[in-house]
Amino acid sequence: MSYSDTDDASTKDVLQPHTPPPHPPALEPYMAFTTIPRAAPGTTCCGVSTLLHNNHTTLLVTSATKVADGLTATAFVAYTIKVGDNEVKRRYSEFESLRKVLCRIYPTLIVPPIPEKHSISNYANIQNKSKEDAAMVEKRKRMLQKFLNRLAKHEILSYEHVFHRFLETGVSWTELMHCPPISTLPKNPLNATLTASSSSANLLRQGHDQPPSPSASSQSSPGPAGSLGPPGGVPPQILREPNPRFIDSEVFTQKFSNQLSGSMDRSQKKVVRKLGEIANDNSDLGATLNGFSLNESDCVPLANAIEKIGQAVDSSFMATTALMQALEINVNEPMQEYVQYASIIKAILKFRHQKHIQSESTADQLESKRSNLENLEQMEVQSKRLESAMNADRKGSSGNAQTNSNNNNNNNTSGSNARSDTATLSDDNHSISEEGTFTNEPESIRSSIDNGDEAADNFNPYARTPSASASASAPKSTGAADSSNEQVDTTTNPYAQLPPANPYAQTHSPPTSGAVKRRSTRLNVFSALSHTLHSMVDVDPEATRRNNIGKTRDAIVQLEEQLETTNSDLDKISRAVQGDLDRFQLQKTKDLRDILLAYAKAHQKWCQKNLGSWQEAKDNVEQIPV
């Protein structure tokens, strides 16, 4: 089972290596993604790059020395790296920082791991002597050297200029961390939009004969130690349409990690511990047998045979110690490295999983906006229908009202004409026209009626008499006229005189500045509250609805573009992740083959060494006379 297979992971042994065919089929080209623009792989950018891609160049960590920091007066272990004829010293924290930077730049690549830090229990046991532990320092030297050589042989990472600067002599890594391109890395690349850059190229597994092609920068990194995801161990969100190939890869990686870090790791540690106990026991037994041979000096053949047996036991002690060291270096350390690889692959698969979640979330938002727009448009259509119906109703009502008014006018005209005719007949029978015709009504009655009308006008308290109006408009000539006018006004208009001034009225001084300030503050508060309440009330729902329709359409356009970009990025990221998984599968097969060969050779050597010493002991024992 490999990362490129789609069968069930339970059908094959994850640790069983398979022999690659003599001519493996050409793998599909894959692309790398960067969060910042990078140079296309395949082109050398400096002298270190040229030196690294020389087939005869190997990076070596030659020594580990204790160095005192001039600023903090603290000591640290500096590892000397030899690149050709050049040497540069780097501390462990700088190796760790380099790997973090590479993970942030290349989130879809499986960046090789570095040796883990001390655990809390180890620090408690070793305390302040951890930097002086020779075994730990030697182990770090070996694993850091393997880390550098894996980077130097990688198809894409070997062309990264940040890696080249790490290997250059005289370059301060602390200053480099605060300079571009490292300082321009995004803090949260997952939410950033992928943009085309010249940092990627289609690369074939069997050579760099493909021309460079543009790719996209990535949005997230799996983290410095290969961990990614929400804090607190929150399980990832379930996808509606997961990719079966990556689901199989996740299952396979989980089983691979469980077997390496579970039963195999425990069994291997137990074997090494038992071998250590056997070696110590053989050391004690060899010393005892050598002392016992001195007591049997009377019988020389017997003494020589006992001495040879003791020497064979001592040889077993040394062979077992060599076996333990070989198993630790060639088996245990690579297995621990692949446990870290499993965590890194989980993080990369989770990064792709989160990108897939982002795509589905964008699709959900787009569907929700489209549904909202459909509802708003339906409301707009219904509003227009209602408005047209109301307008038609208003037109019908106004037409009916006009018709009714015309009919009423016609009726009034006909009625007035009839009344005028009747009045004409009445006048002809009872009155005399101005030309000298007589009426039946006496003149005295008419004059009395006229006088009665004038008297009625005189008794109206609200009527405005001519004398009053004349007195108001014409200037006063004499005092008698004034008095007579005042008398007439008083008798005819009882409201002509204004009421007297209020003796109890109190005049107030203007308010002080403090009172004005308090009153203005209260007015401002009331004005703000009134404005807030007014803004909460939809005074024009039609305009608000049309505004919402416009905003929803703009949001739909943006979401459509975002969904198209996200789906394109997801496809490219999936191909990039799968491509690097295929590359890693070939590396894993080769490394597991080397591990198994080293395991077999270590035991073969241990057996051969023991066989020679015990064969010589057997010959000496057979020479004892009986």
Side-chain angles (χ1 to χ4, degrees), residues 479-497:
D482 292 341
S483 62
S484 63
N485 289 336
E486 290 176 1
Q487 182 67 27
V488 172
D489 292 340
T490 304
T491 56
T492 58
N493 187 5
Y495 300 96
Q497 185 176 0

Side-chain angles (χ1 to χ4, degrees), residues 183-355:
S183 61
T184 60
L185 289 173
K187 295 181 179 179
N188 190 5
L190 186 63
N191 296 331
T193 303
L194 297 182
T195 56
S197 66
S198 61
S199 59
S200 306
N202 291 333
L203 299 175
L204 291 178
R205 252 1 134 259
Q206 303 300 328
H208 306 288
D209 53 355
Q210 291 282 343
S213 62
S215 71
S217 60
S218 182
Q219 289 182 340
S220 179
S221 64
S227 61
L228 180 70
V234 179
Q237 182 179 345
I238 299 176
L239 297 172
R240 292 193 306 270
E241 298 179 359
N243 191 324
R245 188 169 190 176
F246 290 102
I247 294 296
D248 293 340
S249 297
E250 291 175 2
V251 173
F252 170 71
T253 303
Q254 186 63 39
K255 292 188 65 177
F256 180 76
S257 175
N258 291 340
Q259 290 192 2
L260 287 183
S261 61
S263 58
M264 180 172 291
D265 183 64
R266 290 193 300 269
S267 299
Q268 184 63 22
K269 287 181 178 180
K270 186 183 293 184
V271 167
V272 173
R273 186 173 64 253
K274 295 294 184 181
L275 288 175
E277 295 176 357
I278 292 174
N280 293 331
D281 293 340
N282 284 334
S283 177
D284 296 338
L285 179 59
T288 302
L289 289 175
N290 290 330
F292 180 65
S293 64
L294 297 176
N295 294 332
E296 299 296 333
S297 58
D298 296 340
C299 182
V300 176
L302 179 60
N304 291 337
I306 295 174
E307 185 179 2
K308 287 296 181 180
I309 293 293
Q311 292 177 358
V313 171
D314 290 337
S315 178
S316 295
F317 158 71
M318 292 185 292
T320 304
T321 302
L323 176 63
M324 289 173 53
Q325 294 177 353
L327 293 179
E328 178 66 25
I329 296 174
N330 299 323
V331 178
N332 289 356
E333 289 180 5
M335 289 297 181
Q336 293 173 6
E337 183 185 19
Y338 270 91
V339 171
Q340 293 178 280
Y341 267 123
S343 300
I344 297 170
I345 294 172
K346 288 180 185 178
I348 293 176
L349 293 175
K350 190 176 292 185
F351 164 72
R352 186 213 159 270
H353 181 89
Q354 290 182 343
K355 192 64 181 179

Side-chain angles (χ1 to χ4, degrees), residues 137-138 200 233 294 325 369 460 480 496 545 574 611 617:
V137 172
E138 289 298 323
S200 306
L294 297 176
Q325 294 177 353
K369 289 293 183 182
N460 184 8
R545 183 172 59 255
S574 299
L611 179 62

Side-chain angles (χ1 to χ4, degrees), residues 3-281:
Y3 290 100
S4 57
D5 296 334
T6 57
D7 298 334
D8 187 6
S10 62
T11 58
K12 297 181 181 180
D13 185 4
V14 296
L15 295 179
Q16 181 180 359
H18 62 274
T19 304
H23 300 285
L27 299 177
E28 295 182 359
Y30 75 103
M31 296 178 291
F33 296 91
T34 61
T35 56
I36 53 176
R38 308 305 298 146
T43 57
T44 57
C45 58
C46 59
V48 175
S49 178
T50 304
L51 190 60
L52 287 178
H53 294 91
N54 186 357
N55 295 330
H56 303 286
T57 301
T58 302
L59 300 179
L60 300 174
V61 179
T62 57
S63 63
T65 57
K66 194 172 181 180
V67 180
D69 190 353
L71 296 177
T72 61
T74 57
F76 61 90
V77 177
Y79 299 89
T80 303
I81 306 171
K82 186 176 182 180
V83 186
D85 297 332
N86 300 326
E87 289 187 352
V88 59
K89 291 185 178 181
R90 301 294 181 190
R91 57 190 301 179
Y92 174 82
S93 59
E94 294 174 344
F95 281 92
E96 185 181 20
S97 177
L98 170 64
R99 191 187 179 280
K100 289 181 180 179
V101 170
L102 294 178
C103 287
R104 293 175 63 188
I105 298 176
Y106 300 94
T108 60
L109 295 184
I110 304 174
V111 182
I114 61 174
E116 295 179 344
K117 291 183 178 181
H118 280 295
S119 62
I120 298 177
S121 59
N122 290 337
Y123 269 114
N125 295 330
I126 303 176
Q127 295 180 357
N128 296 329
K129 297 182 180 181
S130 59
K131 297 178 182 179
E132 300 177 1
D133 187 0
M136 184 273 297
V137 172
E138 289 298 323
K139 179 180 179 179
R140 280 190 173 181
K141 279 177 55 180
R142 293 189 298 268
M143 298 193 72
L144 291 176
Q145 178 174 311
K146 183 178 291 186
F147 166 72
L148 294 175
N149 283 285
R150 288 193 186 279
L151 291 179
K153 295 178 181 178
H154 198 280
E155 299 173 350
I156 297 175
L157 296 177
S158 59
Y159 291 96
E160 174 53 48
H161 191 57
V162 174
F163 175 49
H164 304 157
R165 298 282 288 171
F166 182 82
L167 299 177
E168 287 182 0
T169 305
V171 175
S172 174
W173 183 254
T174 303
E175 295 179 358
L176 191 63
M177 287 292 295
H178 295 85
C179 298
I182 299 176
S183 61
T184 60
L185 289 173
K187 295 181 179 179
N188 190 5
L190 186 63
N191 296 331
T193 303
L194 297 182
T195 56
S197 66
S198 61
S199 59
S200 306
N202 291 333
L203 299 175
L204 291 178
R205 252 1 134 259
Q206 303 300 328
H208 306 288
D209 53 355
Q210 291 282 343
S213 62
S215 71
S217 60
S218 182
Q219 289 182 340
S220 179
S221 64
S227 61
L228 180 70
V234 179
Q237 182 179 345
I238 299 176
L239 297 172
R240 292 193 306 270
E241 298 179 359
N243 191 324
R245 188 169 190 176
F246 290 102
I247 294 296
D248 293 340
S249 297
E250 291 175 2
V251 173
F252 170 71
T253 303
Q254 186 63 39
K255 292 188 65 177
F256 180 76
S257 175
N258 291 340
Q259 290 192 2
L260 287 183
S261 61
S263 58
M264 180 172 291
D265 183 64
R266 290 193 300 269
S267 299
Q268 184 63 22
K269 287 181 178 180
K270 186 183 293 184
V271 167
V272 173
R273 186 173 64 253
K274 295 294 184 181
L275 288 175
E277 295 176 357
I278 292 174
N280 293 331
D281 293 340

